[in-house]
Amino acid sequence: MTVRRRTISLALVTTGAALALTACGGGSDHAAASPSSGGASPGTATATATPGSGGAKAGGGSGSASATNASGTGGTKTGGKDATSDSYAYKHLCTAGQLSISTKELDSNPDQYVIAVTNHGKAACGLSSYYPRVDLGSKNGADRSHNIHPLVPSGLGGAPAVPVYAGRTVYAVLDVDPNGAKGSNGGIDEINVLADQRFPNAETHNFPMNEGATVVQHPKLGLYRDSVGDAVSSMRTADINGS
């Protein structure tokens, strides 16, 4: 598999506002996904995260970004009067080239990682997945067939895509030790992230985990949300295998 890493500085803005985002799909492939309502509430609370780290593997492209806005509404007028609407995003799915991905552990809980996907295009676009495709494994492992896949929320259904406005960011939160086991990582030291399940494997990004992190057999991953706070809440509802 050809993958690539990114080193990204991330400033996150969290929110207590609820995002009505559900999605459709089931089983092991929840690839067509999106919110059940037309928009998201802007954030009012803020928090800052320190930069994560990562490197590039052969065959991958390059790029970096700073995600600074956690609210999900608004955007620029560039690209036409409809380029900031959900309906526009549903009809114009995101390309890998217009997105950047970063991860950063939460200061409040180092076992929780925020995955941030930012649209650097000039118009809104849609992610066809409810959540990023994530697995955990060894950075030196040649065989990834035994990597750990997190649980995800069940009962999904809604619109055809997750809208990401131009210059905006959506977030998903991964908890590698949701039950507080506080053990070893079993040799697992890397998070592999694909922003949209329809993207080729070559667009997978690899991020190092904290040294000494605990990794359990059933980590939890939430849906894409427009704020970190809402992404944490979604993660806590994860209850089915998302592999």
Side-chain angles (χ1 to χ4, degrees), residues 205-227:
H205 296 248
N206 315 97
F207 302 96
M209 299 182 63
N210 294 328
E211 293 185 8
T214 298
V215 180
V216 298
Q217 190 63 33
H218 297 293
K220 289 187 174 185
L221 174 69
L223 307 181
Y224 279 126
R225 299 301 200 196
D226 286 343
S227 76

Side-chain angles (χ1 to χ4, degrees), residues 67-142:
T68 58
N69 198 321
S71 62
T73 58
T76 67
K77 294 295 182 181
T78 306
K81 65 179 182 179
D82 296 325
T84 57
S85 68
D86 285 3
S87 60
Y88 184 93
Y90 299 156
K91 297 176 182 177
H92 298 81
L93 295 181
C94 300
T95 64
Q98 75 188 100
L99 302 175
S100 66
I101 306 175
S102 67
T103 65
K104 177 64 182 72
E105 69 275 9
L106 282 175
D107 291 338
S108 59
N109 187 338
D111 290 324
Q112 293 181 354
Y113 292 80
V114 178
I115 300 168
V117 178
T118 301
N119 176 9
H120 292 283
K122 295 182 178 180
C125 66
L127 293 168
S128 68
S129 302
Y130 303 107
Y131 48 82
R133 192 181 76 189
V134 173
D135 62 77
L136 307 171
S138 169
K139 64 182 177 182
N140 297 318

Side-chain angles (χ1 to χ4, degrees), residues 1 129 237:
M1 183 191 308
S129 302
T237 69

